[in-house]
Amino acid sequence: MKKLQLLLPIILVISVVSFSADAGTRAVVEAEAIENGNVEKSAQIVTFDEKRARIDFVGADGKVTDQTPYIMTVDGGNSWVMGDKPKGEFYCTSMQTEQFFKTIGGKLTGAIDFFNVKVETPTVKKTVEEPGPEILGYKTTHVQLETHARAYTRLLFFKFEYKVKIIDDMWYTTEREIHPIRKKWLDALTQSGNKVIDQFIADLLGNLPGPVLKTQSVAAITNVRKDETKTLEENTIFTEFEELAKEELDKVFVMPKCEPMDEKEVEEKAKALFSQGRIML
C-alpha cells in the first residue's frame, strides 16, 4: 500500500529512551494502514545504543527472520546498511545518509520534470496544541497539523489536477533528549535537493520539538477533473521498550554477508521504503 503522503515518524523512536555505554534499547512500533476498507497491519522493531541503530520491518506477527528487510547504522548515523531478500538471495548495500536522500530527491525531481508536473509548495498549519495523555510513562503534548498540497499537469488535451489534504494528529514528549543519530537523519531529510520536499519536511519538523510516540494520519486525495476523492489512514503507536545488555546488542549489529545490490535494486528499494512512510520522520 503506497503511503507517500503519510509522512510518519518511525525513526523518532531512537530518541525516546536514554542509553548508557553498556546497554541499549529495543522498541516496538505497531502500525496499521487503512485504504478502501482494507486494513494492513505491520510493525517495526527498533534496536539502538549510543552509536548504533537498526530497524527491522516485520509483519503483524512481529517476528524477525533472516529474510526480514532492515536498515542499520553502526557509525552513529553517518552511513546505513540496507538489506532485503526479494529473490531468494539476501542483498544489501551501504550508503551515506545525506547522499541517500539527495538521490531520492533527484529521482523525484527528474520524474516531476519529465511529466511537466507543477507542484505548489505544501502549506502546514498547526490547528491544535494541548496536553496529551501519558504514553509508556512519558508525558505528552498533542498537536494537530493540517497540510494542503496541489499538483497539476497537461497531457495532450487533458489537464490533470490533484488536491491533497492531510490531518496529522501527533503525541510527542519533551522528557528525553534527541538522540544524535536522529539529528543526522532529520538534517539529511531536509537536504534532498528538491525544494518542495525540503521545505515541507522543515515545516513539519518545526512543529515537533520532541520524539513522537503516537500518530493518527488521514489523507484525502482528490482528482479534481473526475471529482473523486480517495481517503488513506495510518496509525502508529509505540507499544513497548526493553533494555538490552551489550552482549545482546552485539548479536544484533552484525554486518551482513550478502550479494551487493546493483544501482537499480538500490533505487527500487529506496523508493519502496520512501513510499511506505518508513524513512521519513
Side-chain angles (χ1 to χ4, degrees):
M1 186 181 296
K2 302 302 182 183
K3 301 183 286 294
L4 174 59
Q5 64 285 349
L6 299 180
L7 307 179
L8 300 176
I10 298 302
I11 196 62
L12 286 177
V13 68
I14 62 176
S15 64
V16 175
V17 179
S18 60
F19 49 81
S20 68
D22 298 320
T25 301
R26 177 184 290 134
V28 178
V29 186
E30 295 183 354
E32 66 174 10
I34 304 170
E35 181 179 0
N36 297 327
N38 298 317
V39 179
E40 178 182 328
K41 294 187 177 183
S42 62
Q44 292 83 35
I45 297 178
V46 184
T47 309
F48 62 94
D49 60 12
E50 186 176 4
K51 294 290 185 181
R52 303 175 294 183
R54 172 171 170 150
I55 305 177
D56 288 282
F57 302 109
V58 299
D61 60 4
K63 295 181 179 179
V64 177
T65 71
D66 60 357
Q67 299 185 33
T68 301
Y70 70 90
I71 56 175
M72 177 175 70
T73 179
V74 296
D75 59 4
N78 291 324
S79 63
W80 291 81
V81 173
M82 180 171 60
D84 196 9
K85 193 173 184 178
K87 302 174 184 177
E89 295 291 335
F90 200 85
Y91 293 82
C92 67
T93 188
S94 180
M95 66 206 76
Q96 297 297 309
T97 305
E98 290 186 7
Q99 187 57 45
F100 180 50
F101 285 101
K102 286 181 180 178
T103 299
I104 293 176
K107 294 297 182 181
L108 181 57
T109 300
I112 290 173
D113 291 343
F114 179 81
F115 290 103
N116 194 29
V117 179
K118 307 299 181 184
V119 181
E120 297 179 2
T121 301
T123 60
V124 180
K125 179 182 178 182
K126 181 164 59 181
T127 55
V128 174
E129 184 170 16
E130 61 187 6
E134 283 195 3
I135 299 177
L136 294 175
Y138 298 103
K139 294 180 180 179
T140 67
T141 298
H142 168 223
V143 296
Q144 184 180 88
L145 305 179
E146 184 173 314
T147 301
H148 292 268
R150 196 180 192 99
Y152 57 91
T153 187
R154 288 187 178 276
L155 182 61
L156 299 178
F157 303 105
F158 300 99
K159 179 181 179 181
F160 297 88
E161 182 178 358
Y162 290 87
K163 296 189 297 183
V164 178
K165 178 182 178 180
I166 307 172
I167 302 295
D168 286 309
D169 286 281
M170 301 185 183
W171 289 262
Y172 69 84
T173 182
T174 57
E175 294 189 337
R176 292 296 179 181
E177 296 294 326
I178 295 177
H179 195 291
I181 293 177
R182 180 207 168 199
K183 289 182 179 179
K184 290 184 179 180
W185 187 281
L186 297 182
D187 287 345
L189 278 171
T190 61
Q191 298 178 43
S192 72
N194 183 289
K195 292 182 179 180
V196 173
I197 294 176
D198 293 347
Q199 184 60 55
F200 179 40
I201 298 301
D203 289 344
L204 281 178
L205 295 179
N207 289 287
L208 298 171
V212 175
L213 300 181
K214 178 181 178 182
T215 69
Q216 294 178 346
S217 298
V218 179
I221 306 171
T222 301
N223 182 325
V224 176
R225 187 171 69 90
K226 295 183 177 181
D227 193 24
E228 295 177 352
T229 298
K230 180 172 65 174
T231 300
L232 306 176
E233 179 179 349
E234 182 158 322
N235 306 309
T236 67
I237 188 169
F238 298 94
T239 58
E240 61 182 85
F241 292 105
E242 176 188 6
E243 187 172 299
L244 298 181
K246 185 178 184 300
E247 293 76 16
E248 294 179 272
L249 292 168
D250 291 341
K251 295 178 183 179
V252 174
F253 296 110
V254 175
M255 296 301 290
K257 295 181 180 179
C258 53
E259 296 292 327
M261 293 183 183
D262 59 32
E263 184 176 349
K264 183 178 180 180
E265 289 170 326
V266 172
E267 180 182 329
E268 290 177 351
K269 184 60 180 174
K271 287 192 295 186
L273 290 172
F274 187 74
S275 68
Q276 293 166 15
R278 290 176 170 177
I279 58 173
M280 293 308 301
L281 299 181

